[in-house]
Amino acid sequence: MSVAFRRESDEEHLEPKFELPLPTGPNIVTARGLSLLKAKVAEWSAMVAGAADDDARRKAKRDLAYWNTRLSTARVAEPPVTGVIGIGSRVLFRLKGTTRTLEIVGHDEAEPANGRIAFNAPLAKAMIGASQGDWVDFGGVDEAVEVITVG
């Protein structure tokens, strides 16, 4: 039967709704990151309960499913060895003549603008395992990063 002669629902013309994509790799978090995940689950649970209509509830449930998955797969990182860069370390370093401070954290708590980068970010990958005074290769440049302090 031709499409022109059958009644179609309005739902057929809507954009498909996909689940939120999960980051690849392990879901390693700091203790702070675990607390943030719990807060997100509570926030989205409240949004589901208080949704004004079915569409808002569906959207909130989608986000709640994402945060529930992130919480259920979260694994708190072991504290880094003193003086060695790891997940949870705060690092003072010099790159291209500029001194900066970064904290290496889990994916969901990363905020590069606020000095928190995910452990799987290229700069974090380059620095993990280094110690104070080490020079680290980064971006194809030998000894591009000088590690000043690790906390």
Side-chain angles (χ1 to χ4, degrees):
M1 173 181 256
S2 171
V3 173
F5 294 105
R6 70 180 181 104
R7 181 175 168 91
E8 298 175 6
S9 73
D10 290 336
E11 289 291 316
E12 289 182 46
H13 299 289
L14 296 176
E15 289 288 323
K17 304 226 179 3
F18 298 103
E19 295 299 316
L20 295 173
L22 293 169
T24 58
N27 185 15
I28 302 172
V29 300
T30 63
R32 176 185 176 274
L34 185 63
S35 294
L36 290 173
L37 288 174
K38 290 176 181 177
K40 283 289 191 183
V41 167
E43 175 187 342
W44 284 102
S45 294
M47 291 179 90
V48 168
D53 57 41
D54 288 342
D55 190 45
R57 187 171 294 104
R58 267 192 302 277
K59 289 177 183 175
K61 281 183 176 182
R62 181 186 73 159
D63 285 349
L64 177 58
Y66 172 87
W67 292 110
N68 272 324
T69 300
R70 295 302 286 167
L71 180 59
S72 69
T73 60
R75 192 186 76 192
V76 177
E78 293 292 323
V81 174
T82 303
V84 178
I85 299 172
I87 298 170
S89 293
R90 186 172 223 40
V91 183
L92 178 66
F93 66 99
R94 187 172 295 116
L95 173 64
K96 296 182 181 178
T98 302
T99 302
R100 296 177 46 199
T101 300
L102 285 177
E103 184 178 356
I104 300 175
V105 297
H107 177 83
D108 294 314
E109 64 182 305
E111 299 175 283
N114 293 325
R116 290 186 189 94
I117 62 171
F119 67 91
N120 56 358
L123 182 57
K125 284 180 174 181
M127 291 196 296
I128 288 177
S131 302
Q132 179 177 329
D134 286 352
W135 287 83
V136 178
D137 301 343
F138 176 66
V141 178
D142 292 342
E143 298 184 346
V145 179
E146 177 188 8
V147 178
I148 300 170
T149 61
V150 179

